[in-house]
Structures are given as structure tokens and as C-alpha cells.
Amino acid sequence: MSTPTAVITGITGQDGSYLADFLLDKGYRVVGMVRRSSTENFERIEHLRGKLEICQADLLDQLSLINLLRQVRPREVYNLASQSFVPTSWEQPVLTGEFTALGVTRMLEAVRLVDREIRFYQASSSEMFGKAQEVPQTERTPLYPRSPYGVAKVYGHWITVNYRESYGIFACSGILFNHESPRRGKEFVTRKVTDGVARIKRGLARELSLGNLEARRDWGYAGDYVEAMWLMLQQPRPDDYVIATGETHAVRELCEIAFARAGLNWQEHVVVDPKLVRPAEVDLLQGDASKAKRVLGWQPRVSFRQLIEMMVDADLERVGAWRPPLGNEKLQTDN
Ligand code: NAP
Ligand code: GDD
């Protein structure tokens, strides 16, 4: 059998890098799509240099997506690129809609025009449940997004379903609950906390400012979740799946575990900054992934505690190795 080829959009992001690791291990030819930038940001895929092919295209530019698929002729496309940070979606709602909503249609149009046999994965989100209408949330739970990001993801989800039903494209939507790792962006709360713990432990900061400590999320490990994306595209029929751990934890519990791992008491360091509270909050997410377990045979392997401790350990090691540049040794405050 010939080597399968996959295109990953969002290859420079957290999930793109884990999915590339996973597919390369399976013997795939992997082509990562990057948008043009004046400086490279390949930190998360540095270890894959020489194994990955990189092509430039942009979710804002339809022709670039068509040309990408024409050149590469993939069997699978994983559409992971988006503006993924919820607070930014209130600052830049239109741009978020362009990337996170219309970008999906542009990618699907490229599939439709170039090769309808391509199998397509869309990175949908538990943020679509927003003001959750039931607990736990399943594939049938009504959607009620609470941010421009969530609204854009609802569009991306339904356009994926629509292209499946309109054109018979093998298009799947993975409704993934929050998933984290040492490669998570530092603006997201898990990594903000584990990075903050490491900086406090190493004497580079004293405090960590956070917003809503009572928000609850169903947090899993990104390395486990990319396997579910691949499994969806190996099935006889395309479908949509919730991917989650089934557990929910508060930001407060995340702080307790992370600070304790470094021998610190979180209450001595965490301060609540009302400016970090969101205009509309998603209070509670908890997923029911029993369909994924039944049909895909998927289940998470890393527990919440293991995940947070893995992230704290990685940040302690990274910050331990860091030294302030000469002439700039002043104690740094939180970002
Ligand atoms: P991430 O780390 O923020 O990565 C986002 C990626 O999208 C980056 O590679 C970014 O490229 C790329 N991108 C943004 N705009 C683009 C454009 N116009 N053209 C091409 N590429 C563009 O996100 P992630 O955590 O890996 O998440 C992957 C996907 O899953 C996202 O769609 C996210 O919304 C969704 N999702 C994530 C979670 C989660 O908990 N992580 C849960 C549910 C759904 P640059 O490096 O150039 O910025
Ligand atoms: N980022 C951040 N920073 N969040 C904070 C803070 C803080 O200082 N303090 C409290 N929180 C709370 C937020 O209010 C939110 O309720 C929760 O922590 C999680 O925030 P994030 O880690 O930013 O993630 P998110 O749930 O908004 O969005 C992530 O998960 C979605 C899936 O549900 C992103 O990865 C999205 O792209 C993804 O779709």
C-alpha cells in the first residue's frame, strides 16, 4: 500500500505538533500548512525538522488552499488552524469569524473542488456548549455558545455537517473538550498556572493574577486527543464525536495541584484580577465520550493530576535552565 499523506493546518500549534508526531509514527507523509510570517515560529515542531514537509497557505486565502491540495494530493486533511483564544475573540470578533468560521468553508471548498475523496477532520470545540443545556454534554446536547469564538466554532461545526450531507464528503467534526500539555500556549489557564508556579518557585515572580477561579472544565491530555482525530477518519462512515475525560475540575483545584507539586501554597500567591473575568463565562463543561469509546475504541489515558504535574515538571525544568540576559536581572512580574 502506498504511503498515506495528511495535510495538517495549524501545524505550529499545540495539537498540530502532537498530531504530526502521531501520524509520522504511523508512517504517514505529513505536510504542515503554515501562514507567512516575518519570523518562524516552529518551536513546537523543531524536533520534526527533516521529517515534516511545510507548505505556505492561509485560511483567509481561498486560492492558496486549493493550490495546496492540488500540489499535495492528500488522503486526509486535519483542519486545526483557528484563532483559538476565547478572550481575543471579543477583541477581534470579525477576524475570529474569518479564521474560525469562514476558514472552515474555504478549506471544505478546496476539498470539494480538488478531490471529494479526501477525508476531512474539523476541530470543533466544547466551547460550542457554552451555557450548557445539560450535564454531561453529548453529541446531541443543544449548542449555546457564549463567546464570538464559540459562535464561530458552531458555524464551523455545522458547515462540516452540511458538506457531508450536501456533497457526500467524508467530513467529521470532533467536539473536543479542553486538552492541555507542556506545549500549550501560555495564555491558556493551565499553562499560565504551571508557568507561574515555575517562575515563583525559581524566584522570578511572587504573584500570579487569575480571573474566575470557580469555572469548571473537563481537562484532558492533548497527546491522547490527537489519536481520536485520526480514529474518526479511519471509520467506514463519517460522523461527529465528543472527546472528553468525563471529569470536571475548577480552576481553584488546578491551582492547588500545581502549586503543591512545587511545594508551594497557592493561596499565598494567587490574586484575583477582575479584569481577567470574561464578559460572558462558560461555567461548567463536562463531556460524555461514550460514543467515542463505543465506536472508535478511544479513551483517555492521562488523569487530571498526572496532566498538571507533567506540565509543572516541564515548566520547572524549562525555567530552571533560564537565566536573565545580562543587565536585565531585575525581578520580573507576571505577564
Ligand atoms: P493553537 O495552539 O492556538 O494553534 C492554532 C494554530 O492555528 C496555529 O498553528 C496558528 O498558526 C494557526 N492559524 C491561525 N490562524 C491561521 C490562518 N489564518 N492561516 C493558517 N493558520 C492559522 O490551538 P490548539 O490548542 O492546537 O487547537 C487546535 C484547534 O483545535 C483549534 O482550531 C482550536 O480552536 C481547536 N480546539 C482546541 C481545544 C484545546 O483545548 N486545545 C479544544 C477544542 C478545540 P500561527 O502559529 O501562525 O499563529
Ligand atoms: N486564560 C485564562 N486566564 N483563563 C482563566 C484565567 C486566566 O487568567 N483565570 C480563570 N480562567 C478561566 C476562564 O475564565 C475559563 O473559564 C477557564 O479558566 C479556561 O480558560 P482557557 O484556558 O483560556 O480555555 P477556554 O476554556 O476558554 O478555551 C479553551 O478550550 C476550548 C474548549 O472548551 C481553548 O483551547 C479553546 O480554543 C477551546 O475550544
Side-chain angles (χ1 to χ4, degrees):
M1 218 177 79
S2 62
T3 309
T5 299
V7 163
I8 303 177
T9 75
I11 190 81
T12 54
Q14 171 189 259
D15 290 8
S17 69
Y18 280 103
L19 182 62
D21 289 340
F22 179 87
L23 294 178
L24 287 167
D25 276 354
K26 289 228 166 276
Y28 274 68
R29 169 188 173 221
V30 178
V31 180
M33 183 187 108
V34 297
R35 51 181 168 169
R36 197 264 161 190
S37 142
S38 65
T39 48
E40 261 186 18
N41 63 343
F42 290 2
E43 205 181 308
R44 295 185 178 104
I45 48 172
E46 201 55 58
H47 62 292
L48 297 177
R49 261 189 210 268
K51 296 186 188 161
L52 262 183
E53 290 171 48
I54 296 292
C55 286
Q56 271 190 18
D58 199 302
L59 285 182
L60 300 183
D61 189 294
Q62 180 71 69
L63 190 57
S64 72
L65 302 176
I66 294 170
N67 284 337
L68 171 74
L69 298 192
R70 275 198 186 131
Q71 278 162 27
V72 176
R73 301 307 302 222
R75 185 174 87 180
E76 296 167 12
V77 169
Y78 295 87
N79 186 37
L80 309 186
S82 80
Q83 190 303 92
S84 74
F85 189 47
V86 172
T88 298
S89 76
W90 277 287
E91 306 298 327
Q92 299 175 5
V94 176
L95 191 60
T96 298
E98 286 287 351
F99 289 172
T100 306
L102 284 177
V104 186
T105 309
R106 292 191 193 97
M107 206 65 231
L108 281 162
E109 276 291 273
V111 168
R112 185 178 73 83
L113 292 168
V114 174
D115 177 4
R116 292 188 188 192
E117 296 302 310
I118 290 173
R119 294 186 168 210
F120 179 84
Y121 172 84
Q122 168 57 17
S124 292
S125 166
S126 51
E127 185 72 13
M128 302 190 303
F129 296 121
K131 192 168 179 179
Q133 300 296 291
E134 60 181 0
V135 181
Q137 296 92 46
T138 73
E139 294 78 5
R140 289 179 308 283
T141 302
L143 306 177
Y144 192 144
R146 292 273 279 171
S147 61
Y149 168 82
V151 173
K153 281 288 179 188
V154 171
Y155 175 94
H157 171 73
W158 280 112
I159 200 72
T160 301
V161 174
N162 182 261
Y163 271 55
R164 180 167 78 215
E165 294 176 355
S166 304
Y167 304 113
I169 291 172
F170 193 110
C172 298
S173 171
I175 307 173
L176 270 56
F177 283 61
N178 299 50
H179 46 280
E180 321 291 313
S181 74
R183 299 184 201 166
R184 185 60 142 152
K186 283 189 198 163
E187 68 274 41
F188 298 95
V189 75
T190 52
R191 186 72 199 290
K192 183 174 174 183
V193 169
T194 63
D195 176 65
V197 164
R199 282 152 41 80
I200 290 168
K201 183 72 181 175
R202 301 293 186 220
L204 300 172
R206 293 194 189 92
E207 285 185 347
L208 177 66
S209 301
L210 293 175
N212 179 7
L213 301 182
E214 305 313 324
R216 301 184 74 86
R217 289 290 182 279
D218 179 331
W219 277 295
Y221 172 52
D224 289 344
Y225 284 38
V226 296
E227 184 191 8
M229 301 175 186
W230 175 77
L231 283 168
M232 286 179 215
L233 297 199
Q234 312 314 311
Q235 301 308 307
R237 275 178 304 281
D239 207 341
D240 308 321
Y241 298 89
V242 160
I243 301 297
T245 69
E247 285 181 24
T248 185
H249 298 275
V251 172
R252 181 186 295 276
E253 292 172 68
L254 154 67
C255 293
E256 274 166 21
I257 293 175
F259 279 83
R261 180 68 171 179
L264 300 168
N265 178 354
W266 73 278
Q267 282 163 312
E268 291 171 12
H269 301 283
V270 170
V271 292
V272 172
D273 179 350
K275 288 201 290 296
L276 294 169
V277 174
R278 300 177 178 183
E281 179 61 286
V282 171
D283 295 319
L284 190 161
L285 291 177
Q286 182 174 10
D288 174 353
S290 44
K291 178 177 172 186
K293 188 172 181 189
R294 193 177 68 251
V295 181
L296 307 177
W298 179 86
Q299 56 185 350
R301 296 189 183 90
V302 177
S303 72
F304 176 61
R305 176 176 291 277
Q306 285 171 330
L307 169 67
I308 301 309
E309 292 185 348
M310 171 207 304
M311 293 174 69
V312 171
D313 293 352
D315 276 323
L316 280 170
E317 197 177 318
R318 188 184 49 80
V319 177
W322 183 85
R323 295 279 172 276
L326 280 178
N328 188 21
E329 294 90 348
K330 202 161 65 64
L331 196 66
Q332 296 201 338
T333 52
D334 285 308
N335 54 8

